[in-house]
Amino acid sequence: MTDRSPPNRCRVVLIAPTDENAERFGPRLREAAAGGDIASLIIPARGDEASFQDFAAPIVRIAQTAGIAAIVADDTRIAGRVGADGIHLESGKGEIGQAVERWQGKLIVGAGGATTRDDALELGETQPDYVFFGRFGFDNKPEPHRRNLSLGEWWAGVVQIPCIVLGGSDVASVETVAATGADFVALSSAVFGEGVDPRAAVERANDILDRTAPAFED
């Protein structure tokens, strides 16, 4: 992440792959960070508790050193142990509400799993720091899923809680997501896919957003 102030438009959120070990992914994350502005990194759950913690611990440190907020998914205990900046939960309104009550103000608390407007509004009632539209690992087509785009556009137009919309496997999909008014576009395979240069991908994503993303109102 650069030293300049965060841009006043849709920003990039990265999602760590679940099929790489920390030794391979760490250098790729550093390369991505060198490509420009990244708001946060979400680390999806993987394997058993021990293997997830072994992966998350060094990755959280790398992200934080680069000025990127590190968010651990699905396990508040691991998030605490590795010193993460936030937690991402898809466990329903009850557990997310408890997490907000316990952790908000200390950690970023994000909510995912909504597939309908009613689902999203229920999650919004808990007042998380963001709502995520998409499913980890389902960015295997160049364009974002139409349902996620529709939900993101609707949410951005009626709710003040920020939203993240999952992009596609093509970096150019950030333009489509930004056009919905979403606060953040999440990228995974577009940056960390096989044969992709993470630094170049993040540079291109930010260039597209700089040129095409609507500026947010102050």
Side-chain angles (χ1 to χ4, degrees):
M1 191 171 174
T2 61
D3 293 331
R4 66 183 182 179
S5 298
N8 185 37
R9 43 85 171 153
C10 182
R11 298 178 66 198
V12 172
V13 168
L14 298 181
I15 301 173
T18 57
D19 59 351
E20 294 185 17
N21 59 35
E23 290 74 18
R24 182 170 190 266
F25 179 63
R28 282 157 55 78
L29 176 58
R30 290 190 182 95
E31 283 295 306
D37 180 69
I38 300 168
S40 58
L41 170 75
I42 300 175
I43 306 172
R46 53 164 60 212
D48 57 30
E49 185 173 312
S51 62
F52 185 22
Q53 184 169 325
D54 287 346
F55 176 82
I59 298 306
V60 164
R61 290 193 294 271
I62 291 170
Q64 291 172 339
T65 298
I68 301 167
I71 299 172
V72 167
D74 295 332
D75 197 314
T76 56
R77 291 178 299 179
I78 289 177
R81 291 171 191 159
V82 302
D85 300 287
I87 52 176
H88 175 96
L89 298 172
E90 299 191 353
S91 46
K93 179 180 178 180
E95 187 172 337
I96 292 170
Q98 292 174 5
V100 168
E101 185 175 339
R102 180 176 181 184
W103 297 109
Q104 201 168 52
K106 302 175 183 177
L107 296 174
I108 299 164
V109 181
T115 58
T116 67
R117 292 185 178 186
D118 286 343
D119 290 344
L121 288 173
E122 278 211 350
L123 296 182
E125 289 175 1
T126 69
Q127 293 295 302
D129 292 297
Y130 68 79
V131 170
F132 183 96
F133 295 116
R135 294 176 62 189
F136 300 150
F138 281 74
D139 57 336
N140 47 14
K141 294 183 178 180
E143 288 298 316
H145 195 289
R146 284 180 293 177
R147 180 184 63 201
N148 299 331
L149 291 172
S150 177
L151 285 170
E153 184 171 23
W154 159 75
W155 183 270
V158 299
V159 184
Q160 291 187 333
I161 297 169
C163 73
I164 304 172
V165 174
L166 181 65
S169 60
D170 187 335
V171 168
S173 65
V174 298
E175 180 175 357
T176 307
V177 171
T180 68
D183 301 88
F184 303 95
V185 53
L187 298 175
S188 187
S189 62
V191 174
F192 300 123
E194 190 67 32
V196 177
D197 179 336
R199 178 171 182 163
V202 172
E203 286 177 343
R204 185 178 175 215
N206 276 294
D207 176 64
I208 292 170
L209 291 170
D210 284 340
R211 290 186 287 104
T212 67
F216 296 138
E217 296 180 3
D218 293 332

